[in-house]
Amino acid sequence: MDVTPIIDTLNDAQRQAVTSDNKHILVLAGAGSGKTRVLVHRMAWLIDVQQQAPQSILAVTFTNKAAREMRGRIENMLGIPTRSMWVGTFHGLAHRLLNQHWSEAGLEQNFQILDSDDQQRLVKRIIQGLGMDENRWPAKQAQWFINGQKDEGIRAKFVEDTDDPFIKAHRKIYQAYEDFCKNNSLVDFGELLLRAHEILRDDPNLLQHYQRRFSNILVDEFQDTNTIQYAWLRLLAGEDTAMMVVGDDDQSIYGWRGAKIENIQDFSRAYADTETIRLEQNYRSTGTILQAANAVISRNTGRLGKNLWTSQEDGDPISLYSAFNEIDEARFIAEYVKRRFEQGNNYSESAVLYRSNAQSRVLEEAMLRANIPYRIYGGQRFYERLEIKNALSYLRLCLNRNDDQSFERVVNTPTRGIGNRTLDEVRTVSREQGVSMWQASLKLVDEKTMSARATNALYAFVQLITQLEQAVQGMELEEQAEQAINLTGLVEFHRAEKGEKGQARVDNLQELVSACKAYEADDPDAEVLPQFLAQATLEAGDQQADEHEDALQMMTLHSAKGLEFPLVILAGMEENLFPHSMSADEPGRLEEERRLAYVGITRAEQKLVMTYAECRRIYGDEKFNSVSRFVRDVPNELIEEVRANIKRPSPPGRVRATGGSSRRFSTSDTGMDTGFELGQHVMHPKFGEGVILNFEGHGANARVQVNFHSEGSKWLVVSYARLESI
DNA sequence: CAAACCGGGAAGGCA
DNA sequence: TCCCGGTTTG
């Protein structure tokens, strides 16, 4: 066996991990140290060299994207199909398991998966059904509670029984929700994991079967596992199962959604023979960038310890730009990116990362103005869009009339005269007689208890679905989708909407048909439609389109994890924004913010730029924040401050004036009277250093607003305040 | 029943 | 400031 292609390109630590004979291996993989590569090569090693059967391997990731990439790389490397391997996300694999053992899991064969939107609607209805005050117990919060419990593997009846009214109320909601889901064979995302865990836990034969089958378990991004995921893995790993978990405690940024960074620490305790391998050589970034990253993360406590190094040159210094407001910041970024483009780099080599989505709008406007193509990651995904969910709901109703979620969604979309009164009637009958809303509707139509108008409208809907189902029989998936959007009037409905929005929705519906055309079922023997629908929920789809256009990449720091770019610009490096004010008080959360900073910095390959704004408008009012502590953590000698006056070809006031909407600074050129410029750094005898933010008035009355590093923002009369420019 | 209006809330986002 | 959901109005 020629093992060269598998291990030849690896460094020592990587090779150690790939070829280790140890049963339990913990790979601490720093950013850019080649962790995916280790995982893929390990699988190749197991199959090709150790002659393990592909179906004995289970490899689990968090995102569909990562799973796809892994699959692709295996197929490339080994030239074998990966169908028999269990490679997927936790949820995807759990779904696979429940699909195969639906009966043991106490589900109907084609059980419904609720996405978080469906879940929230349902929780809301449950709260209403319980007669609880919706203002006191918002559905969103209850949903959060329920999911939090499920992440911990806790069923409603095991929720701590206390007098705490909050817990009491939510326990009650959770219980009612759980019962409802059980009775209707509904499974939310958390439930997939929880139930996948339970069927193995409670069925020794089943457990043994899978423990024997999977002699190798590989886990990606292990630091992101939550309690139930970890418990599931431990259950699945039998006596003879070898496990390799790969992760980086320094990149754990999902604690807020249940990830337990402790799992990574627990692993070597749970499996005493664990071999720990550190991947510390970074192949991505320049020395300077790594030094900055190390400096920032070193302030965290309780790390497992890792120090990234590179054989690369130090490279460019880190640029720091102090903008006087977020518009100036965006303008600077646009210019910077444009200049780089003019020097012959693609736009797609640059990324702007920010802490929160709210920051994207101003950036977007600046890019539009500068004619820079951009792509924003995140936001609503394809299968989560309203019009798409509606179309899918019609298809769901074809499969299952009793799907109340879908029924509620589309019964009056497009509007067909079935209003709240009528629906309330349907809901009541449904509740009282314990039947689905569809059956309740049939009854109501039959008995004609309602007004003729309402009865007719409802009857029309019943007819519509019946027709649709017949029309769709035996059709190809894409034709089914086509029928669903045309026959029901969805397309017409959105076409009639005014504005670009309607057109976009029509386009999306067309896109859905294309997606159906391109769809390949996992299991060619089974029905296509149910598979497609489940997949649409499980994999909501990155927003498609324009993937290939050369565009600047814009996204939050969270969604940048796992990516890399030659140029990275970290925008909004300000206290209260990053670290976010909501995380400031709690040490644990602050450390997570710091890890987020670490993730951001380590995305950069060649050049890192950080920007912050002295003044930022958030939710309508102006905030004056000082520069982020994460910037201050970076050693000075790595940073090169970009002076405002060099990079500002036109006075900022002008840029805004032509920009349109925003006019928060005094217009005109009164600024000139004062002898100061916006954004200029000044010194005050008492308040110290500061930055000019705004002007007001003329001549002797002229005032300036200055943001002082020590004192915050103040208005000063120019003729009295002895300001000096510095 | 549908369209206009109003008020509260807004971190991050995978499945 | 913007967006959503609930309420009021036509």
Side-chain angles (χ1 to χ4, degrees):
Chain A
M1 165 63 47
D2 179 18
V3 297
T4 327
I6 298 177
I7 57 170
D8 221 30
T9 55
L10 303 176
N11 68 29
D12 288 347
Q14 290 171 338
R15 190 177 305 123
Q16 175 68 19
V18 166
T19 62
S20 171
D21 286 328
N22 221 294
K23 197 153 93 189
H24 299 110
I25 308 165
L26 167 63
V27 181
L28 294 176
S33 63
K35 80 181 162 71
T36 309
R37 176 168 234 234
V38 164
L39 279 169
V40 169
H41 284 242
R42 173 74 178 177
M43 285 190 263
W45 175 264
L46 291 171
I47 294 171
D48 250 21
V49 181
Q50 305 228 307
Q51 297 292 307
Q52 307 256 357
Q55 60 267 23
S56 74
I57 293 179
L58 181 145
V60 62
T61 63
F62 277 83
T63 65
N64 287 296
K65 193 173 160 207
R68 263 195 309 271
E69 185 183 345
M70 204 177 272
R71 275 218 136 91
R73 279 167 76 165
I74 296 273
E75 279 172 11
N76 267 339
M77 209 165 159
L78 297 182
I80 59 160
T82 52
R83 292 208 46 194
S84 64
M85 297 167 70
W86 280 46
V87 178
T89 63
F90 277 100
H91 293 85
L93 298 181
H95 180 240
R96 194 164 172 176
L97 196 67
L98 295 180
N99 244 347
Q100 279 173 23
H101 306 285
W102 52 272
S103 150
E104 291 95 316
L107 294 164
E108 284 166 23
Q109 182 158 20
N110 48 9
F111 58 90
Q112 269 293 307
I113 304 171
L114 301 178
D115 68 16
S116 54
D117 189 55
D118 302 329
Q119 187 190 30
Q120 195 179 321
R121 286 157 163 265
L122 180 54
V123 168
K124 187 170 180 164
R125 271 179 49 206
I126 297 284
I127 294 172
Q128 286 168 344
L130 289 170
M132 295 169 77
D133 180 0
E134 285 181 78
N135 295 315
R136 183 144 182 231
W137 314 112
K140 231 184 154 116
Q141 192 178 249
Q143 180 187 30
W144 181 262
F145 179 88
I146 291 169
N147 291 339
Q149 297 298 317
K150 290 195 177 190
D151 283 348
E152 293 295 320
I154 301 170
R155 287 272 175 217
K157 65 177 170 198
F158 294 122
V159 171
E160 188 196 357
D161 199 2
T162 61
D163 288 335
D164 183 338
F166 179 89
I167 297 187
K168 257 184 134 69
H170 284 102
R171 186 183 143 109
K172 189 169 156 196
I173 298 168
Y174 182 11
Q175 186 68 62
Y177 170 80
E178 191 180 295
D179 294 342
F180 187 91
C181 289
K182 191 159 191 201
N183 291 333
N184 294 278
S185 224
L186 300 171
V187 176
D188 61 44
F189 289 133
E191 185 72 25
L192 282 169
L193 303 174
L194 194 48
R195 202 156 307 197
H197 178 255
E198 286 172 352
I199 59 166
L200 293 181
R201 186 195 60 193
D202 301 338
D203 188 336
N205 290 326
L206 201 63
L207 178 61
Q208 199 184 39
H209 168 77
Y210 281 103
Q211 284 185 339
R212 287 207 179 132
R213 168 173 178 167
F214 296 123
S215 47
N216 294 281
I217 293 179
L218 299 95
V219 189
D220 191 17
E221 305 275 18
F222 186 65
Q223 77 282 352
D224 289 338
T225 50
N226 63 28
T227 303
I228 191 73
Q229 287 160 340
Y230 184 39
W232 185 70
L233 289 171
R234 276 185 310 180
L235 199 54
L236 208 49
E239 277 296 296
D240 304 315
T241 307
M243 281 178 108
M244 170 183 269
V245 303
V246 181
D248 181 359
D249 54 323
D250 290 335
Q251 291 188 71
S252 162
I253 55 175
Y254 287 112
W256 53 273
R257 63 173 200 212
K260 287 275 182 297
I261 192 172
E262 301 85 17
N263 290 349
I264 208 168
Q265 286 137 358
D266 183 80
F267 188 81
S268 25
R269 234 175 299 145
Y271 302 98
D273 63 330
T274 296
E275 176 182 13
T276 300
I277 298 168
R278 288 180 162 74
L279 305 183
E280 296 177 296
Q281 181 173 5
N282 172 294
Y283 293 96
R284 180 186 291 158
S285 311
T286 65
T288 298
I289 290 164
L290 282 190
Q291 285 168 50
N294 284 336
V296 170
I297 199 66
S298 70
R299 305 210 171 235
N300 268 6
T301 57
R303 299 171 58 215
L304 293 177
K306 227 177 334 80
N307 216 17
L308 287 185
W309 62 276
T310 178
S311 56
Q312 283 193 45
E313 302 283 305
D314 281 351
D316 273 5
I318 294 165
S319 295
L320 177 66
Y321 178 68
S322 158
F324 66 92
N325 67 12
E326 76 279 7
I327 297 170
D328 178 42
E329 177 186 52
R331 199 216 76 251
F332 169 79
I333 292 172
E335 273 171 26
Y336 196 97
V337 167
K338 184 139 231 171
R339 200 172 326 128
R340 205 178 146 94
F341 175 73
E342 284 159 1
Q343 286 161 3
N345 301 287
N346 285 330
Y347 281 122
S348 57
E349 290 174 24
S350 306
V352 186
L353 312 183
Y354 36 81
R355 177 66 236 268
S356 70
N357 282 313
Q359 289 169 254
S360 71
R361 227 192 68 234
V362 177
L363 289 164
E364 211 175 334
E365 282 165 8
M367 299 313 147
L368 282 172
R369 207 173 304 148
N371 268 323
I372 294 171
Y374 61 89
R375 173 169 182 229
I376 295 188
Y377 282 70
Q380 216 182 17
R381 291 178 311 162
F382 188 67
Y383 289 107
E384 287 169 350
R385 290 174 196 182
L386 177 112
E387 62 276 18
I388 301 300
K389 291 206 66 166
N390 288 339
L392 296 182
S393 288
Y394 277 112
L395 291 170
R396 288 218 163 88
L397 277 179
C398 286
L399 281 179
N400 176 13
R401 288 313 135 82
N402 302 325
D403 179 347
D404 286 354
Q405 267 68 39
S406 297
F407 184 96
E408 288 240 24
R409 257 206 113 83
V410 296
V411 66
N412 199 33
T413 314
T415 50
R416 47 175 75 88
I418 302 173
N420 244 327
R421 282 294 294 273
T422 314
L423 269 181
D424 269 341
E425 199 63 33
V426 176
R427 288 196 196 100
T428 310
V429 173
S430 151
R431 186 153 5 99
E432 282 173 358
Q433 312 200 7
V435 295
S436 67
M437 293 184 72
W438 173 265
Q439 282 159 355
S441 305
L442 290 181
K443 275 208 169 71
L444 282 167
V445 168
D446 224 35
E447 293 163 7
K448 298 204 172 67
T449 35
M450 299 180 301
S451 71
R453 195 165 115 184
T455 307
N456 284 336
L458 201 54
Y459 183 60
F461 179 69
V462 168
Q463 287 273 290
L464 176 69
I465 298 299
T466 314
Q467 272 173 28
L468 179 63
E469 198 216 352
Q470 277 166 9
V472 145
Q473 282 303 327
M475 278 185 166
E476 293 287 324
L477 185 61
E478 64 170 306
E479 294 170 317
Q480 295 184 326
E482 187 110 44
Q483 291 292 326
I485 63 175
N486 288 317
L487 210 64
T488 60
L490 265 187
V491 173
E492 239 351 274
F493 177 64
H494 289 302
R495 210 193 301 284
E497 269 181 329
K498 44 189 179 279
E500 284 179 15
K501 209 160 192 169
Q503 187 52 47
R505 295 202 152 137
V506 173
D507 291 347
N508 284 334
L509 288 172
Q510 283 316 322
E511 187 64 34
L512 174 67
V513 177
S514 317
C516 286
K517 193 170 184 176
Y519 178 73
E520 284 174 40
D522 286 332
D523 182 355
D525 303 327
E527 288 227 49
V528 193
L529 185 54
Q531 291 186 66
F532 177 74
L533 291 172
Q535 196 230 310
T537 310
L538 235 37
E539 188 172 349
D542 307 315
Q543 66 272 55
Q544 34 22 319
D546 303 340
E547 292 258 352
H548 302 294
E549 195 194 345
D550 176 40
L552 170 68
Q553 311 287 300
M554 305 194 343
M555 68 195 84
T556 62
L557 286 152
H558 280 94
S559 39
K561 194 166 80 145
L563 305 177
E564 56 188 15
F565 308 93
L567 167 66
V568 166
I569 300 172
L570 301 180
M573 297 299 287
E574 297 139 47
E575 285 292 300
N576 295 322
L577 194 64
F578 188 32
H580 197 278
S581 51
M582 308 211 78
S583 305
D585 15 318
E586 229 182 292
R589 309 203 119 201
L590 187 63
E591 295 215 335
E592 187 157 302
E593 295 276 317
R594 189 172 284 111
R595 294 194 289 269
L596 191 54
Y598 176 77
V599 166
I601 294 169
T602 52
R603 296 311 96 195
E605 294 170 3
Q606 295 162 11
K607 174 77 185 177
L608 180 65
V609 178
M610 299 193 278
T611 63
Y612 66 99
E614 299 280 345
C615 166
R616 181 180 297 272
R617 181 164 263 212
I618 297 174
Y619 304 141
D621 50 25
E622 293 177 333
K623 290 275 164 27
F624 305 96
N625 297 313
S626 50
V627 63
S628 168
R629 69 193 71 190
F630 304 140
V631 174
R632 282 179 285 154
D633 288 344
V634 176
N636 265 332
E637 61 270 23
L638 303 179
I639 294 184
E640 169 193 71
E641 286 223 36
V642 183
R643 295 301 304 181
N645 40 17
I646 301 173
K647 308 279 182 188
R648 189 174 291 141
S650 64
R654 293 256 154 61
V655 176
R656 249 186 339 278
T658 53
S661 59
S662 182
R663 200 64 62 81
R664 17 196 277 255
F665 288 80
S666 354
T667 45
S668 85
D669 41 8
T670 47
M672 300 309 154
D673 296 1
T674 63
F676 296 109
E677 263 183 73
L678 287 180
Q680 187 173 3
H681 290 252
V682 293
M683 175 67 89
H684 184 275
K686 191 160 145 214
F687 302 135
E689 257 185 78
V691 180
I692 304 278
L693 296 175
N694 204 351
F695 304 104
E696 193 180 85
H698 296 270
N701 294 321
R703 301 198 304 151
V704 289
Q705 188 183 25
V706 186
N707 187 24
F708 290 106
H709 297 333
S710 50
E711 307 282 317
S713 146
K714 288 189 186 307
W715 281 98
L716 303 170
V717 176
V718 181
S719 42
Y720 293 123
R722 280 170 297 150
L723 288 173
E724 283 176 41
S725 52
I726 48 173

